Amino acid sequence: MAILSWLPRVCRRNSFRRFLPQSINSSRASPLLDCTGGSTERLRGFTGCSSLSAAPGSLPKGLTIMTLATDLADLVEETPNPDDEKAPESRVKLKRYLELRVKKRVKEHYVDGKFENLMMNVIANPETLEDAYSCIRLNSNVDISSDGHTISFQSLADELSSGTFSIEENTFSISTRGKVKEVLVLPNLKLSVVQEAIRLVLEVVYRPYFSKISHGCRSGRSHSTALKYIRKEFRNPDWLFSVILSKKLDAFLFANLRSAMEEKIKDTCLLDVIQRMFEAEVLNLEFGGFPKGHGLPQEGVLSPILMNIYLDLFDREFYRLSLKYEALCPGGPLGEEVSHSSLRTWFKRQMKCSDNRDEKEPGPRIFCCRFMDELLFAVSGPKDVALGFKSEVIDFLNNCLHLDASSDAEISSSTRCQGIRFLGTLVRREIKETSAVKAVHKLKEKVRLFTSQKQEAWDRGVVRIGRKWLGHGLRKVKESEIKHLSDPESLLNQISSFRKPGMETDHWYKLLVKIWVQNLDAKVVRSEQLIFSGIVEPALPNELRDSYLEFKKCAERYVHSETATTLALLPSSNHSPAETVTKIIAPVYAIQKRLFRYGLATYRGHPCAARLLMLQDDIQIFDWFHGIVSRWLRWYSYCDNLSEVEAMVRYQLRKSCIRTLAAKYRIHEDDIEKRFDVELSKISSSVDDLDEDIGFDSSEVKKLCDDDAGAMTYGVSYSGSCLLSLARMVSEQRPCDCFVIGCSAAAPSVYTLHVMERQKFPGWKTGFSTCIHPSLNKRRIGLCKQHLQDLYLGRISLQSVDFGSWN
């Protein structure tokens, strides 16, 4: 009785529903089916095992006999239909919900290790096309519950099924202005829906087969997982190097790509459609071209998944090479105290020969991390092993994959190089500071601070003595003597003409000092301290001057001394070998360079006003600066020098925003800070506060980016911010609708898109769209207020903009 009373409560739980067949969950008309799909005759055979059925007379009065079949029959009425449940409200959860629906359709056509007839049965399905269009609208931050689409999904599905869908008629091209034409072919709305449907299907097919070293633009693997993988898996590497790929997709590469896809997909119609897209030049697939992951139009929707499919061939070759070098090289790591897979250990033991190997000697280890077409390698072992491994990698990429692979530099020592560029950051190895090293560095910092204070005091004293000396000399010159000098070209005669009637004496002396400094060529001599030091210091007592110089030399010698030498001075110094750790460094210099190119700072690094934003509303100006800050802090949140980036954000962008508003209203900067104190405070917020302000749940975004939302948030969270200037206001005579896909709202303004630079791979990812195709430069787009804010804050990307609205 205890079992039977417990079972209905368990069956009511949501966790038990997944064990029930589809017929029980979805059909209320067949309550006689049991959990294995049989009839109640099979269940009646188990009633004899129940204590209730065995002794019916022993039941209390009023208690009926309950069997397992009766419980399951009642369960059907209590369990709600999953299709009737309310759909999730979050954008990311909605995309996951839609992709799971597509995944269910794809799994039904898995036969004998291959997926068959995906075009006819899955892609050319009105429900799949509608789900793909809903995903596009979710990327555009458009409410999918509204009926804003103008596509007949049934007719589109019929065209795909019959093979009459024309790729060329559903594309449009944009070219640059000038003699040199660069053409960019983009899909229209129908072709975009078809591409998104194909992407969803390919994601379902290939996701289980991608390796763990592959990151970027797919579910479960993003920029953050790549950086965490480097920190966790790159254990004590001795050598680091990267490989640069460069090759545009041609007919030969596409033939190899198609043959690779035929290993998992048995569908000629689907492969033919992708080939027709390639022939129409709408795929825009280029290895080593523009940096991937910014959500820019030239990246294409299918480019990331197709690139991952093609480079998956290299991932398999990497595992073969790693087993070769780690298992067959002398000194295999059989006795190495590091974590490695059991399969790899077994393979090494099977391949071990009867030669003279020292099992305690650690062998080479090979590491790799790939983010799309960016490759980073690390080798733990001798340099000749690293050189041989690098040679084999480049040979495979050049000869087997037919890509133009080359290394930007020689193999660098992990502890001596400045860093290897990867994902817009610098990856390098540094010595981990022990408690003794931290104590020494703390003492060095105190000595450096004490020395700088003494230097400032010395400089102030020299300047004060020099000014007194100059003022004393100038006071002795009488104006009557200056005016009657015989030489009218003399400096003193020229100085006398600057004295105005009623001028104060102190002001007069300051003016004399200024003119005297300018006469000494101030372009060469940059400060008064350098001028007076050459005059005052030689006149000081020798003992005072020599003691200060000796103190300065000793302090500099101690500050710049090696850590190992300084540790020897400590009584409890530990002479054990130093431990190295992997550091991810954000390129602060590259960020400063982007600020200059976008007109937010001078060439010396001083913040200035953004002239192109002055004609926009105040809230739009704040949104643009707020979006830059959120992208920076989110992209560099895994870097070790995040505090340095945050300090730059707080000063540079906040000051540039203040000066932009001050130039707009022509008032002082202090008044701007008082008037917009609340808005300006958001620019200096932390990462979590920024996510809440722009509409992201910080905990959800971090979890999704780390676990299972690499493809769902692709092109949104880390998209580059573009610079838009107001072109004109929309009137009744010249109407305009919003260019965002799926949006039917009217656009109150038209904006001009500015491409500030045309840098290609390997470009630094710094929060700006540094790699927009030049054909999009000076293009005008209409945006409603909501989507302009979404574009500035990073809720949508330029892939959501339909540039074919105005041909």
Side-chain angles (χ1 to χ4, degrees):
M1 181 180 296
I3 297 177
L4 292 178
S5 62
W6 167 80
L7 182 59
R9 293 198 301 269
V10 176
C11 294
R12 293 189 183 97
R13 296 179 183 176
N14 294 333
S15 60
F16 187 75
R17 298 174 187 171
R18 56 194 175 98
F19 296 103
L20 298 179
Q22 184 66 23
S23 59
I24 293 182
N25 277 330
S26 59
S27 176
R28 297 177 180 266
S30 56
L32 299 179
L33 294 178
D34 65 351
C35 57
T36 59
S39 62
T40 55
E41 298 296 334
R42 300 173 59 186
L43 288 174
R44 289 171 184 170
F46 293 94
T47 58
C49 300
S50 174
S51 60
L52 294 179
S53 60
S58 61
L59 291 175
K61 185 177 181 180
L63 184 62
T64 60
I65 299 177
M66 297 179 63
T67 62
L68 180 61
T70 306
D71 293 338
L72 292 179
D74 296 338
L75 178 64
V76 174
E77 299 180 356
E78 296 177 359
T79 305
N81 193 342
D83 297 335
D84 298 335
E85 295 181 357
K86 185 179 179 181
E89 298 179 355
S90 173
R91 288 174 62 191
V92 177
K93 291 181 180 179
L94 277 172
K95 289 196 67 175
R96 175 177 293 176
Y97 174 75
L98 295 173
E99 291 186 0
L100 287 177
R101 293 175 57 178
V102 178
K103 180 180 180 180
K104 182 180 178 181
R105 303 186 191 107
V106 174
K107 292 294 185 180
E108 294 176 354
H109 301 280
Y110 183 75
V111 180
D112 296 333
K114 289 188 178 182
F115 292 87
E116 299 179 354
N117 300 324
L118 295 178
M119 174 58 72
M120 295 297 179
N121 299 325
V122 181
I123 299 175
N125 186 345
E127 296 180 358
T128 303
L129 296 175
E130 188 174 359
D131 292 341
Y133 181 67
S134 298
C135 289
I136 294 176
R137 298 179 74 186
L138 286 174
N139 286 337
S140 304
N141 199 17
V142 177
D143 187 11
I144 62 175
S145 61
S146 60
D147 297 332
H149 61 83
T150 59
I151 305 177
S152 176
F153 299 109
Q154 184 62 46
S155 61
L156 181 58
D158 295 339
E159 291 180 10
L160 292 173
S161 301
S162 60
T164 59
F165 182 76
S166 177
I167 303 295
E168 293 76 8
E169 294 179 359
N170 290 278
T171 60
F172 63 94
S173 59
I174 303 176
S175 61
T176 57
R177 301 179 180 91
K179 297 181 180 179
V180 181
K181 296 291 184 180
E182 296 187 38
V183 181
L184 176 63
V185 182
L186 298 176
N188 65 357
L189 183 56
K190 283 187 177 181
L191 187 55
S192 298
V193 173
V194 175
Q195 286 185 344
E196 180 65 17
I198 295 175
R199 187 197 70 82
L200 293 175
V201 171
L202 294 179
E203 181 75 23
V204 174
V205 172
Y206 284 96
R207 179 183 177 184
Y209 300 100
F210 286 140
S211 64
K212 67 177 183 178
I213 68 172
S214 171
H215 301 263
C217 304
R218 67 184 187 89
S219 297
R221 293 291 186 269
S222 61
H223 142 268
S224 59
T225 60
L227 296 181
K228 290 196 298 184
Y229 180 82
I230 292 173
R231 283 184 173 177
K232 181 180 179 180
E233 298 295 333
F234 284 29
R235 306 186 191 94
N236 299 324
D238 298 319
W239 311 96
L240 293 171
F241 68 93
S242 60
V243 175
I244 299 176
L245 303 179
S246 60
K247 190 65 175 293
K248 195 168 183 178
L249 185 65
D250 53 13
F252 189 74
L253 285 181
F254 185 82
N256 293 340
L257 174 62
R258 177 162 182 164
S259 62
M261 296 177 66
E262 289 175 350
E263 297 179 2
K264 301 292 188 298
I265 299 175
K266 187 179 179 181
D267 191 350
T268 308
C269 296
L270 175 58
L271 300 179
D272 290 342
V273 170
I274 298 177
Q275 183 166 1
R276 282 189 288 159
M277 292 181 186
F278 161 70
E279 294 172 354
E281 299 181 355
V282 75
L283 287 182
N284 300 322
L285 180 58
E286 181 179 358
F287 295 88
F290 295 97
K292 312 301 184 298
H294 276 172
L296 299 175
Q298 69 269 10
E299 296 176 16
V301 178
L302 289 176
S303 298
I305 185 67
L306 294 179
M307 183 175 291
N308 280 326
I309 292 173
Y310 191 76
L311 290 180
D312 185 65
L313 301 174
F314 167 77
D315 298 342
R316 303 179 200 172
E317 178 66 15
F318 166 74
Y319 283 112
R320 188 190 69 81
L321 291 176
S322 63
L323 289 176
K324 170 186 174 182
Y325 279 90
E326 294 180 8
L328 302 181
C329 287
L334 296 177
E336 189 178 2
E337 296 181 358
V338 295
S339 60
H340 46 271
S341 64
S342 301
L343 178 61
R344 181 176 296 179
T345 305
W346 177 86
F347 181 80
K348 293 171 184 176
R349 290 174 179 174
Q350 297 298 322
M351 297 299 297
K352 179 184 176 183
C353 303
S354 59
D355 54 1
N356 296 327
R357 292 187 183 181
D358 186 5
E359 295 187 356
K360 297 182 179 180
E361 181 184 356
R365 297 296 304 273
I366 309 297
F367 310 97
C368 175
C369 183
R370 181 178 66 82
F371 187 90
M372 300 296 291
D373 51 0
E374 297 188 49
L375 302 174
L376 178 66
F377 299 92
V379 179
S380 177
K383 188 174 182 180
D384 56 348
V385 174
L387 291 174
F389 172 73
K390 177 184 176 182
S391 177
E392 291 198 43
V393 166
I394 294 180
D395 290 343
F396 178 80
L397 293 172
N398 289 331
N399 302 327
C400 298
L401 297 185
H402 305 283
L403 300 173
D404 297 335
S406 62
S407 179
D408 55 348
E410 295 294 331
I411 293 181
S412 303
S413 175
S414 59
T415 57
R416 297 180 181 178
C417 67
Q418 296 295 326
I420 301 297
R421 182 183 297 186
F422 184 71
L423 285 183
T425 61
L426 288 176
V427 180
R428 63 189 182 196
R429 300 282 296 179
E430 294 182 358
I431 298 177
K432 185 178 180 179
E433 293 185 351
T434 60
S435 57
V437 175
K438 291 181 180 179
V440 172
H441 287 177
K442 187 176 181 179
L443 180 59
K444 284 185 176 183
E445 189 64 28
K446 289 183 178 180
V447 172
R448 186 185 294 108
L449 179 61
F450 181 74
T451 305
S452 62
Q453 292 175 352
K454 294 301 179 182
Q455 180 69 39
E456 292 176 359
W458 179 271
D459 295 339
R460 288 196 302 269
V462 169
V463 172
R464 185 171 61 253
I465 294 174
R467 286 177 177 176
K468 288 184 178 181
W469 165 80
L470 182 60
H472 180 75
L474 293 176
R475 287 190 184 95
K476 292 183 176 296
V477 179
K478 297 181 179 180
E479 292 187 43
S480 59
E481 297 178 357
I482 294 176
K483 294 180 180 179
H484 295 87
L485 288 176
S486 58
D487 186 7
E489 301 296 333
S490 63
L491 177 62
L492 293 178
N493 200 327
Q494 296 176 13
I495 290 176
S496 62
S497 61
F498 288 94
R499 182 82 181 254
K500 299 291 181 7
M503 182 180 288
E504 298 293 337
T505 305
D506 293 340
H507 189 192
W508 168 242
Y509 288 146
K510 290 180 181 178
L511 182 62
L512 292 179
V513 173
K514 182 179 179 180
I515 296 174
W516 184 71
V517 170
Q518 290 177 354
N519 188 65
L520 295 177
D521 193 359
K523 293 183 180 180
V524 179
V525 183
R526 298 182 179 180
S527 62
E528 289 182 318
Q529 190 272 330
L530 296 177
I531 297 174
F532 293 131
S533 61
I535 301 175
V536 176
E537 290 185 1
L540 295 176
N542 295 333
E543 295 82 0
L544 177 63
R545 185 178 65 255
D546 294 342
S547 61
Y548 173 73
L549 294 178
E550 184 64 24
F551 160 76
K552 189 176 179 180
K553 290 179 181 179
C554 293
E556 291 179 355
R557 191 183 307 114
Y558 175 76
V559 169
H560 293 88
S561 62
E562 295 294 334
T563 304
T565 306
T566 312
L567 283 177
L569 302 176
L570 297 177
S572 59
S573 61
N574 187 9
H575 299 284
S576 59
E579 180 183 358
T580 58
V581 293
T582 302
K583 294 285 187 178
I584 310 295
I585 307 299
V588 179
Y589 172 74
I591 297 176
Q592 294 175 344
K593 199 172 182 180
R594 294 296 181 273
L595 290 173
F596 169 66
R597 292 184 178 179
Y598 269 74
L600 301 179
T602 61
Y603 70 96
R604 290 188 177 182
H606 302 298
C608 61
R611 301 294 177 181
L612 296 177
L613 299 174
M614 289 174 55
L615 295 180
Q616 301 185 29
D617 298 338
D618 297 341
I619 186 63
Q620 296 171 357
I621 296 176
F622 286 118
D623 288 340
W624 191 85
F625 282 97
H626 196 183
I628 293 295
V629 173
S630 62
R631 287 176 175 89
W632 274 356
L633 298 187
R634 192 179 296 111
W635 183 265
Y636 296 117
S637 58
Y638 293 91
C639 294
D640 295 279
N641 60 338
L642 178 61
S643 59
E644 189 176 358
V645 177
E646 288 180 342
M648 180 185 300
V649 166
R650 292 189 179 94
Y651 175 71
Q652 293 281 359
L653 293 182
R654 188 176 188 275
K655 198 68 174 178
S656 178
C657 183
I658 292 173
R659 292 181 176 176
T660 301
L661 295 171
K664 176 181 178 180
Y665 291 104
R666 299 180 181 273
I667 59 178
H668 198 270
E669 297 176 7
D670 296 338
D671 297 333
I672 293 294
E673 292 190 69
K674 294 178 182 178
R675 182 185 300 183
F676 302 102
D677 181 64
V678 177
E679 291 81 359
L680 291 171
S681 62
K682 296 181 180 180
I683 301 179
S684 304
S685 303
S686 62
V687 180
D688 297 340
D689 297 335
L690 289 169
D691 289 334
E692 294 176 0
D693 292 337
I694 66 177
F696 284 107
D697 185 0
S698 59
S699 59
E700 179 184 357
V701 168
K702 289 180 180 179
K703 180 180 182 301
L704 290 171
C705 290
D706 294 344
D707 297 338
D708 196 33
M712 298 178 188
T713 59
Y714 163 64
V716 177
S717 298
Y718 307 123
S719 61
S721 177
C722 55
L723 193 58
L724 301 178
S725 63
L726 182 63
R728 67 174 179 88
M729 302 298 293
V730 175
S731 60
E732 296 181 359
Q733 292 76 16
R734 303 177 64 187
C736 179
D737 293 334
C738 184
F739 280 27
V740 174
I741 299 175
C743 181
S744 58
S749 304
V750 177
Y751 301 90
T752 303
L753 176 64
H754 296 273
V755 179
M756 307 307 292
E757 58 180 331
R758 295 171 53 185
Q759 183 177 359
K760 287 193 175 185
F761 182 88
W764 293 104
K765 295 180 177 67
T766 57
F768 290 111
S769 297
T770 61
C771 49
I772 301 178
H773 196 273
S775 63
L776 302 176
N777 189 25
K778 301 299 178 63
R779 292 285 171 179
R780 294 188 176 184
I781 57 176
L783 295 173
C784 62
K785 290 185 177 180
Q786 178 62 38
H787 283 109
L788 178 64
Q789 184 185 36
D790 293 340
L791 184 62
Y792 280 171
L793 293 179
R795 296 170 184 162
I796 66 174
S797 65
L798 285 177
Q799 280 186 341
S800 301
V801 178
D802 184 10
F803 289 93
S805 298
W806 281 353
N807 293 325

